[in-house]
Amino acid sequence: MTFLDSSVIIEYLRDDPVVIDYLDERRPWWTSTVCVFEVLNGPAGAADFDPVEVRQQFGGVEALGFTEQIALEAARLQHAAVRDGSELSARDAMIAATARSTGDEYVVSDGDFETDPLEAHMTVTNLAD
């Protein structure tokens, strides 16, 4: 399994060849419900916006819900980031904790998750590098 950040889903939908080449052999794909919101939030406000239609564009990605156990893990990751002097937004902590709950590779396409506390607890692959 491969856990996808919203940044990777967006780049996949944009037909980024690096992202497509990397992901196509790494199914099944998982993400967080928070990432689903982030992807849907991008086109929100457009005249013809339909969240169900946009969600269907990445229907091959199964979303995992945010549970109390994941909330506890998000708090642990946030605590470790703060103690390390790293920045980690609340949403990013929630997403990272959901990714960590799967034990799988977490694939991103931005630098938001390049912090020592996260990389010490999980495999983070950044396709933007």
Side-chain angles (χ1 to χ4, degrees):
M1 287 191 304
T2 306
F3 193 93
L4 309 181
D5 182 54
S6 54
S7 61
V8 170
I9 296 169
I10 290 166
E11 291 306 314
Y12 194 90
L13 293 173
R14 290 179 179 162
D15 294 324
D16 181 310
V18 171
V19 172
I20 290 170
D21 288 345
Y22 190 83
L23 292 181
D24 275 350
E25 300 299 319
R26 290 176 168 79
R27 293 179 192 252
W29 297 332
W30 301 91
T31 196
S32 165
T33 52
V34 177
C35 289
V36 171
F37 167 75
E38 288 182 337
V39 174
L40 296 177
N41 195 45
D48 59 348
F49 175 67
D50 178 356
V52 174
E53 184 179 303
V54 175
R55 177 61 177 108
Q56 289 173 347
Q57 293 173 5
F58 60 105
V61 181
E62 186 172 336
L64 301 176
F66 190 73
T67 65
E68 184 173 353
Q69 193 63 32
I70 293 172
L72 294 169
E73 182 61 21
R76 287 185 195 103
L77 291 173
Q78 183 73 293
H79 173 74
V82 168
R83 289 187 53 90
D84 184 62
S86 304
E87 287 192 34
L88 187 62
S89 73
R91 272 199 316 206
D92 287 349
M94 294 166 63
I95 294 165
T98 307
R100 185 161 151 62
S101 75
T102 68
D104 297 314
E105 174 187 26
Y106 181 36
V107 183
V108 303
S109 190
D110 61 27
D112 291 350
F113 296 94
E114 292 178 347
T115 66
D116 290 337
L118 287 183
E119 292 174 334
H121 296 284
M122 57 197 300
T123 301
V124 180
T125 302
N126 188 345
L127 299 181
D129 287 344

